């Protein structure tokens, strides 16, 4: 008997993680694909071909009801089209859902990768019924997802939650979005890359907090991480704040300093005096399971 599953894909700038997720959110047939390899002859062509192969080799034991994909992109309000994908060439203004539905012959659901991470964390921490939860995930950039009133906040154009692009007055650092002065290149992982290249040339990026966390440059970078978190807290007064991402998993990351700076920039007495933090567990399958949660919900709605 075939097990009913959603084909789930968490697409990153370096790797794509794929798996089959059943109704109990168990994951089967996990694989990791190179994003660069998929894009060798055009990313959509490579992705369509690889997904068709993956479905074929698993069709004997699994009945694939739909596909759910998370992209490191801005996604339009209909959740059918990618608007902008900075780290994958040729993936701007692409009708991904239409293309894949034609080739795979199953419903295809798209979402921002960070939204799928928050869906996983909501499930993990059993927070589905909480009215307002924000997730901020620090990696190369600053990922943000907002859950309000039982659903993810989408926005008029589909691009709500671009927290990394809060402008900083008098800042002149260019951002990958095309603007100058966004908080993301000051507080995200790109800032650490710059510090390793210019200021701490003898240090690998994975060791930068362990070796230099007390230096003024690192303290400034951590405070720049705190500013967008405090900004969103001041606007939304959330029930929970979930913090995660690769930067928080680095050796000797100064979490106490991040929390101190969040409190420093949050309005007093409230919400500053009543903040509740949770910390995302960094597992490779989080985005895949989040895609499964999203995919099963969308499939039931259809």
């Amino acid at each position: 008997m075939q097990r009913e599953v959603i084909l789930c894909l968490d697409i990153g700038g370096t790797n794509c993680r794929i798996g089959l997720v059943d109704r109990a959110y168990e994951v089967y047939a996990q694989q990791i694909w190179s994003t660069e390899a998929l894009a060798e002859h055009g990313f959509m062509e490579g992705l369509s071909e690889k997904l068709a192969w993956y479905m074929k080799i698993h069709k004997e034991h699994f009945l694939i009801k739909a596909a759910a994909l998370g992209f490191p992109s801005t996604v339009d309000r209909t959740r059918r089209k990618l608007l902008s994908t900075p780290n994958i060439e040729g993936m701007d203004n692409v009708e991904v859902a239409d293309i894949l539905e034609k080739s795979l012959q199953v419903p295809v659901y798209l979402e921002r990768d960070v939204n799928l991470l928050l869906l996983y964390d909501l499930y993990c921490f059993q927070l589905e019924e909480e009215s307002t939860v924000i997730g901020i995930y620090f990696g190369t950039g600053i990922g943000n997802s907002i859950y309000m009133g039982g659903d993810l906040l989408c926005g008029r154009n589909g691009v709500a939650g671009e927290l990394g692009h809060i402008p900083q007055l008098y800042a002149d650092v260019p951002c990958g979005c095309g603007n100058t002065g966004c908080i993301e290149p000051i507080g995200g992982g790109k800032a650490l890359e710059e510090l390793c290249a210019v200021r701490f040339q003898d240090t690998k990026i994975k060791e930068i907090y362990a070796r230099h966390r007390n230096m003024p440059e690192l303290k400034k970078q951590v405070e720049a991480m705190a500013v967008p978190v405090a900004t969103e807290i001041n606007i939304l007064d959330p029930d929970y704040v979930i913090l995660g991402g690769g930067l928080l998993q680095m050796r000797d990351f100064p979490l106490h300093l991040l929390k101190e700076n969040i409190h420093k920039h949050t309005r007093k007495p409230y919400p500053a005096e009543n903040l509740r933090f949770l910390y995302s567990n960094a597992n490779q399958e989080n985005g895949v399971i989040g895609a499964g949660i999203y995919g099963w919900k969308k499939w039931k709605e259809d």
Side-chain angles (χ1 to χ4, degrees), residues 150-171:
D151 208 351
L152 296 168
L153 182 64
C154 181
R156 178 183 179 185
N157 299 294
V159 297
E162 288 295 313
L163 192 62
H165 304 287
I166 291 175
Q168 303 301 293
L169 286 177
Y170 314 118

Side-chain angles (χ1 to χ4, degrees), residues 51-264:
L51 288 176
W53 166 82
Y54 182 84
M55 292 177 67
K56 182 178 180 180
I57 65 171
H58 293 297
K59 67 179 182 180
E60 181 179 353
H61 300 292
F62 297 96
L63 178 60
I64 297 174
K65 308 292 287 185
L69 293 82
F71 278 86
S73 314
T74 53
V75 185
D76 79 330
R77 184 177 175 83
T78 69
R79 285 345 202 203
R80 305 283 298 172
K81 176 181 178 180
L82 300 188
L83 299 177
S84 173
T85 311
N87 294 319
I88 304 177
E89 186 176 350
M91 291 303 291
D92 295 346
N93 296 309
V94 180
E95 304 277 358
V96 171
D98 288 347
I99 294 169
L100 290 181
E101 285 182 349
K102 184 176 180 179
S103 65
L104 303 180
Q105 296 297 301
V106 296
V108 173
Y109 310 122
L110 305 183
E111 191 47 90
R112 297 166 64 224
D113 56 351
V114 69
N115 282 347
L116 302 183
L117 291 178
L118 182 57
L119 286 178
Y120 171 81
D121 284 336
L122 291 169
Y123 168 73
C124 181
F125 293 118
Q126 299 183 329
L127 302 178
E128 292 93 336
E129 300 304 317
E130 292 294 338
S131 59
T132 304
V133 182
I134 63 174
I136 300 98
Y137 303 89
F138 293 94
T140 302
I142 300 174
N144 175 222
S145 181
I146 303 166
Y147 182 84
M148 299 178 68
D151 208 351
L152 296 168
L153 182 64
C154 181
R156 178 183 179 185
N157 299 294
V159 297
E162 288 295 313
L163 192 62
H165 304 287
I166 291 175
Q168 303 301 293
L169 286 177
Y170 314 118
D172 59 1
V173 181
C175 181
C177 74
N179 284 345
T180 298
C182 296
I183 193 68
E184 184 168 278
I186 305 171
K190 285 287 186 182
L192 300 181
E193 294 176 7
E194 182 71 12
L195 285 172
C196 285
V198 176
R199 178 69 175 84
F200 305 113
Q201 295 177 341
D202 63 338
T203 303
K204 295 181 179 179
I205 191 169
K206 65 181 181 180
E207 296 294 322
I208 192 167
Y209 290 120
R211 295 185 60 183
H212 305 295
R213 63 184 178 278
N214 293 319
M215 297 296 290
E217 296 90 340
L218 268 298
K219 290 184 176 181
K220 180 180 178 181
Q221 184 269 332
V222 173
E223 184 166 10
M225 293 173 67
V227 167
V229 180
T231 300
E232 192 156 271
I233 290 171
N234 286 336
I235 295 170
L236 296 177
D237 187 19
D239 295 291
Y240 288 94
V241 179
I242 299 177
L243 301 175
L247 267 61
L248 269 68
Q249 303 300 322
M250 292 171 68
R251 188 161 74 92
D252 291 338
F253 175 80
L255 182 60
H256 67 285
L257 183 60
L258 176 63
K259 291 177 65 176
E260 286 175 8
N261 278 296
I262 292 171
H263 188 271
K264 170 184 171 182

